[in-house]
C-alpha cells in the first residue's frame, strides 16, 4: 500500500532535495516576503512571527542562499578578525568569544594574523576590503592602546571595533578589560583575609597592564589606610624567573610581608616557588594573588593560584555585538566599553 507524499512545506513533509524559502513560509504560515524579512533581520513583525519562521528553518533544515542574500541586502555576511598575537595567549579567547556571537547570526569569520607587522596588517586589510567584509574586529596580546586602522581606500565605510587593545582615537569603539576593578578585587580579597603588609610585583613599567594594575592596586590599598611593605612597586618581567628573584628581594627588605599581589600568573607562580623553597607556608604565612587566570600557570602552581580573570571571551563577545549593532545602525557607538573582571579563589589565599 502506498500513500501520496506530503506537499513541500507542509507539516511532517520531507521534501526531496534542498528546502526552499517557499517551504519555510508555508510551514510558518506566512508569506515568502515575511519569511525573507525574518531571516534577514529586517521588517517590523511580532516576535512570535519571527520565531515561527526560525522554527520552520530548523525543522526543514533550510539553508539560505548566501549569494542571493548578499545581492538583496548589500552585505557579505562575513567579518574580519585581525590579531597581532601570533601566539594566541590572550587573543584566542577574545576571538572565540567573538566567533560565538557572530556564529549565532550566521556570519562567517575571516581570521588574519598580522604578527605585529605593519606591512602585513595593511596586506590583510586590503584583502578584507576586497572581500567586502561587513566589519572588522581588531585585537592583540597587550592592553596598550594602538593606532587605529588607516591608510586603505574603502576602510572608512566599514565599521571597526577594537577588543582588549583599545584604539588611541577616542572616536573609535573599543572594548577592554576593567583593570581598575580587577586590581580592586585582588586588594579587597587580601584585605578581607586580614592581610596588611602588601608587596606588588609586576611586569615591565612601559606596559600599560603593569602600570595600570600597579596604580589602581596602590590607590585602593592607600584608600584602606595601608601602603606597600617595601615602599615601592617592583617592576620587572612577565616571567616566573622574575617572580622568584622579586620574592627574594621583597623578603630581604620587608620580611614581615604577608601578601603578594602579582601583575600576572607567571610572576605569581615564581613567587610561590621561592616561598615554598624558603619553607614559607602559603597561604598561612603569606597569601598570593595573580592576574589573568591562565590555567597553565594558575593550576600548575603549588599551591594553585587565586587570580583575577580578565573575562577575555566576554570582551570578544561584546566586541562582536557592538560590531553587529554598528553594521545594522550604519555606525558604531564611539568610546571605551569596559568589561568587569572576576576573582577566582584557589588555595594560594
Amino acid at each position: 500500500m502506498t500513500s501520496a507524499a506530503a506537499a513541500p512545506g507542509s507539516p511532517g513533509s520531507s521534501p526531496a532535495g534542498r528546502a526552499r524559502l517557499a517551504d519555510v513560509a508555508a510551514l510558518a504560515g506566512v508569506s515568502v516576503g515575511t519569511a525573507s524579512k525574518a531571516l534577514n533581520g529586517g521588517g517590523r513583525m511580532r516576535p512570535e512571527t519571527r520565531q515561527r519562521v526560525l522554527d520552520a528553518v530548523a525543522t526543514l533544515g533550510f539553508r539560505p542562499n548566501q549569494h542571493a542574500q548578499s545581492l538583496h541586502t548589500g552585505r557579505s555576511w562575513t567579518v574580519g578578525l585581525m590579531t597581532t598575537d601570533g601566539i594566541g595567549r590572550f587573543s584566542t579567547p577574545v576571538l572565540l568569544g567573538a566567533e560565538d556571537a557572530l556564529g549565532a547570526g550566521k556570519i562567517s569569520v575571516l581570521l588574519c594574523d598580522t604578527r605585529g607587522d605593519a606591512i602585513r596588517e595593511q596586506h590583510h586589510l586590503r584583502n578584507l576590503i576586497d572581500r567586502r567584509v561587513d566589519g572588522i574586529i581588531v585585537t592583540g596580546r597587550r592592553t596598550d592602546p594602538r593606532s587605529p586602522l588607516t591608510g586603505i581606500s574603502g576602510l572608512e565605510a566599514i565599521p571597526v571595533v577594537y577588543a582588549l587593545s583599545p584604539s588611541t582615537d577616542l572616536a573609535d569603539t573599543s572594548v577592554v578589560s576593567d583593570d581598575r576593578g580587577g586590581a580592586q578585587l585582588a586588594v579587597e580579597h587580601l584585605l578581607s583575609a586580614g592581610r596588611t603588609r602588601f608587596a606588588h610585583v609586576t611586569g615591565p613599567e612601559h606596559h600599560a597592564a603593569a602600570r595600570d594594575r600597579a596604580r589602581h592596586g596602590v590607590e585602593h590599598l592607600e584608600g584602606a589606610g595601608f601602603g606597600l611593605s617595601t615602599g615601592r612597586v617592583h617592576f620587572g618581567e612577565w616571567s616566573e624567573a622574575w617572580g622568584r628573584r622579586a620574592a627574594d628581594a621583597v623578603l630581604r627588605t620587608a620580611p614581615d610581608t604577608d601578601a603578594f599581589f602579582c601583575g600576572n600568573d607567571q610572576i605569581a607562580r615564581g613567587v610561590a616557588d621561592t616561598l615554598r623553597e624558603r619553607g614559607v607556608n602559603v597561604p598561612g604565612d603569606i597569601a598570593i594573588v595573580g592576574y589573568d587566570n591562565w590555567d597553565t600557570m594558575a593550576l600548575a602552581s603549588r599551591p594553585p593560584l587565586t587570580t583575577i580573570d580578565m573575562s577575555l571571551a566576554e570582551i570578544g563577545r561584546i566586541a562582536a555585538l557592538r560590531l553587529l549593532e554598528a553594521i545594522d545602525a550604519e555606525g558604531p557607538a564611539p568610546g571605551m566599553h569596559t568589561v568587569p573582571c572576576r576573582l577566582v579563589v584557589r588555595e594560594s589565599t
Side-chain angles (χ1 to χ4, degrees):
M1 179 177 180
T2 60
S3 60
S10 62
S13 69
S14 300
R18 180 170 172 169
R20 301 168 302 161
L21 183 60
D23 301 330
V24 172
L27 183 57
V30 299
S31 68
V32 171
T34 297
S36 176
K37 290 177 182 178
L39 292 177
N40 291 329
R44 298 181 64 181
M45 64 187 69
R46 298 170 66 183
E48 53 266 33
T49 301
R50 193 183 302 274
Q51 189 60 51
R52 284 208 314 274
V53 174
L54 296 178
D55 290 342
V57 167
T59 299
L60 297 174
F62 173 71
R63 296 179 61 189
N65 184 318
Q66 293 292 336
H67 180 65
Q69 278 192 319
S70 296
L71 292 175
H72 178 69
T73 64
R75 290 178 56 177
S76 66
W77 302 95
T78 57
V79 161
L81 294 178
M82 188 175 292
T83 177
T84 63
D85 183 9
I87 298 174
R89 162 67 190 93
F90 293 98
S91 65
T92 295
V94 173
L95 297 178
L96 289 176
E99 192 173 33
D100 285 346
L102 295 169
K106 309 300 182 186
I107 294 177
S108 299
V109 175
L110 300 175
L111 177 61
C112 303
D113 177 12
T114 71
R115 305 179 195 175
D117 182 82
I119 295 176
R120 189 182 294 270
E121 179 174 280
Q122 293 286 295
H123 168 72
H124 284 308
L125 197 50
R126 289 190 188 92
N127 282 340
L128 291 176
I129 292 174
D130 288 344
R131 289 172 178 267
R132 299 177 61 248
V133 296
D134 296 324
I136 299 173
I137 295 175
V138 182
T139 189
R141 61 180 177 268
R142 287 164 57 174
T143 62
D144 297 77
R146 55 151 292 155
S147 299
L149 298 181
T150 186
I152 302 295
S153 176
L155 178 61
E156 64 281 353
I158 301 176
V160 178
V161 174
Y162 299 83
L164 186 62
S165 304
S167 170
T168 54
D169 188 342
L170 297 181
D172 288 332
T173 302
S174 298
V175 182
V176 300
S177 180
D178 181 12
D179 270 342
R180 177 188 292 274
Q184 181 174 339
L185 284 173
V187 172
E188 285 184 347
H189 178 65
L190 290 168
L191 288 172
S192 69
R195 312 298 169 145
T196 59
R197 298 280 294 168
F198 282 61
H200 184 56
V201 182
T202 191
E205 191 170 6
H206 64 274
H207 283 205
R211 293 194 311 272
D212 292 345
R213 292 166 194 174
R215 182 176 74 255
H216 298 317
V218 170
E219 286 176 353
H220 195 71
L221 190 59
E222 291 176 344
F226 301 100
L228 294 176
S229 62
T230 62
R232 67 182 183 91
V233 173
H234 294 264
F235 290 103
E237 305 164 356
W238 300 116
S239 70
E240 294 170 76
W242 165 238
R244 290 191 289 269
R245 296 196 306 271
D248 274 330
V250 167
L251 294 181
R252 283 196 305 269
T253 305
D256 57 346
T257 296
D258 61 8
F260 277 84
F261 168 34
C262 301
N264 79 347
D265 291 336
Q266 286 173 278
I267 293 171
R269 184 173 172 180
V271 168
D273 287 345
T274 289
L275 296 183
R276 186 174 64 254
E277 290 166 3
R278 283 172 166 256
V280 176
N281 181 274
V282 176
D285 299 322
I286 298 179
I288 307 172
V289 174
Y291 211 104
D292 293 341
N293 195 27
W294 184 11
D295 285 355
T296 301
M297 287 291 155
L299 297 180
S301 177
R302 296 169 55 194
L305 296 170
T306 292
T307 185
I308 302 299
D309 191 303
M310 297 171 64
S311 303
L312 295 175
E314 183 67 3
I315 289 174
R317 189 186 74 84
I318 292 178
L321 294 178
R322 290 285 180 268
L323 186 67
L324 293 175
E325 291 170 1
I327 292 169
D328 291 337
E330 299 183 356
M336 195 86 72
H337 305 268
T338 58
V339 176
C341 297
R342 63 187 182 91
L343 175 72
V344 180
V345 179
R346 298 191 180 97
E347 286 88 333
S348 69
T349 57

